[in-house]
Amino acid sequence: MAGRLPRPVEPRIITVANQKGGVGKTTTSVNIAAALALHGLGVLVIDLDPQGNASTALGIDHRDPEISSVYELLLGEITLAEAMQRSPAHERLFCVPATLDLAGAEIELVSMVARETRLRNAIDLETIRAHDIDYVIIDCPPSLGLLTVNAMVAAREVLIPIQCEYYALEGVGQLLSNIELVQAHLNKDLWVSTVLLTMYDGRTKLADQVADEVRRHFGDKVLTTVIPRSVKVSEAPGFGMTIIEYDPGSRGAMSYLDAGRELGMRASATRQEDGTA
């Protein structure tokens, strides 16, 4: 059993975002969530990706036609308490699942009043406190559309996973520009608090070069822990599990536990102004 982490003074709401696909965004969302839960904290994952991969990895059957989902939550048809499902992975881990209905939500949201703030308004802090939630982690789709904007407006922090491969920083500039736009017009409290290096292969010189470049660019926002490239990490969601549940002794599981601990130990109450959003 992992050691307990200190509870934050108020619930931390973290959006995991990167418009590039295949960077380990959903994998990071669910495994950081599972790590924090294992460290004794209450965690809610909000799956904002229509593919529903985060829901699957947390053991929630999002294909069930009767299930309440983030789609109904965004439309204001249900409350957060009604949308939350407990993950079988851990008693303190919850999920608001995504269903295929979410694919059409961006189109429906366009004509709605306060379309960018639907998720923020739906995250009821009384419900969060009633369920003893310390962290809300929002998994975004691989795009910079209206769903991702909703996630950024609802959060205070952004966690950016960056893979240790060619063109790692490609598109990150656009992501940072979008974050700055959200800060300026919709959520002045938003900031990039954390960057996580994923898919690290220590056998290659490239991985070290990318890691050095990312650390030069983002400084101490980059977690010391890096996530290794791992077949096991990729396999786990196919069994409806996080890597921490699927293969708890693996390098991938241990790395995510370390990343979760590092994230939990970092002070985040105040935004640090250093020019990188």
Side-chain angles (χ1 to χ4, degrees):
M1 176 68 183
R4 295 184 72 84
L5 284 171
R7 299 188 66 182
V9 176
E10 59 184 29
R12 291 174 67 179
I13 304 178
I14 303 173
T15 284
V16 181
N18 191 328
Q19 77 270 26
K20 282 186 72 175
V23 300
K25 182 170 49 57
T26 296
T27 301
T28 292
S29 297
V30 298
N31 286 302
I32 288 283
L36 290 168
L38 203 59
H39 283 305
L41 298 165
V43 188
L44 169 63
V45 175
I46 298 178
D47 189 353
L48 266 193
D49 189 339
Q51 295 178 78
N53 292 335
S55 308
T56 299
L58 293 172
I60 309 296
D61 184 8
H62 62 100
R63 292 161 299 185
D64 181 350
E66 301 299 316
I67 200 166
S68 297
S69 75
V70 73
Y71 172 73
E72 289 89 5
L73 183 66
L74 287 170
L75 295 188
E77 295 175 359
I78 59 173
T79 64
L80 180 62
E82 291 168 328
M84 288 173 63
Q85 311 280 331
R86 191 188 301 271
S87 169
H90 196 282
E91 63 178 5
R92 300 210 61 192
L93 183 55
F94 297 84
C95 176
V96 175
T99 59
L100 284 175
D101 291 331
L102 190 59
E106 295 218 42
I107 298 169
E108 293 184 54
L109 286 171
V110 166
S111 61
M112 289 188 173
V113 176
R115 61 190 180 185
E116 298 93 350
T117 60
R118 306 292 295 190
L119 183 60
R120 180 170 70 187
N121 295 339
I123 297 177
D124 173 30
L125 288 179
E126 283 189 20
T127 300
I128 295 293
R129 293 190 181 101
H131 286 79
D132 227 15
I133 300 295
D134 300 296
Y135 285 78
V136 178
I137 295 177
I138 307 170
D139 183 38
C140 296
S143 71
L144 293 174
L146 202 44
L147 290 174
T148 299
V149 170
N150 262 268
M152 289 183 182
V153 173
R156 287 197 61 175
E157 302 177 51
V158 180
L159 186 160
I160 305 174
I162 297 179
Q163 83 281 31
C164 295
E165 296 180 349
Y166 283 111
Y167 310 121
L169 288 171
E170 187 181 71
V172 172
Q174 183 62 50
L175 174 63
L176 295 177
S177 295
N178 279 48
I179 291 170
E180 287 172 4
L181 283 171
V182 171
Q183 286 172 337
H185 300 288
L186 296 164
N187 181 6
K188 63 181 175 56
D189 296 323
L190 186 69
W191 64 294
V192 176
S193 67
T194 312
V195 175
L196 178 64
L197 291 162
T198 64
M199 303 180 190
Y200 177 83
D201 186 345
R203 299 168 300 179
T204 68
K205 189 176 292 186
L206 173 67
D208 286 326
Q209 290 170 346
V210 171
D212 289 344
E213 184 182 4
V214 172
R215 291 188 193 282
R216 275 198 307 272
H217 188 81
F218 287 102
D220 61 6
K221 293 176 186 285
V222 186
L223 295 184
T224 304
T225 305
V226 298
I227 307 301
R229 177 173 288 284
S230 165
V231 173
K232 294 277 190 183
V233 170
S234 304
E235 283 177 356
F239 293 88
M241 298 180 187
T242 64
I243 184 60
I244 292 166
E245 188 183 10
Y246 179 63
D247 191 357
S250 65
R251 285 174 62 234
M254 300 307 290
S255 296
Y256 271 115
L257 279 169
D258 288 344
R261 168 167 283 279
E262 197 176 343
L263 178 71
M265 293 300 291
R266 287 186 168 208
S268 71
T270 57
R271 175 174 155 187
Q272 301 164 2
E273 296 283 1
D274 63 0
T276 53

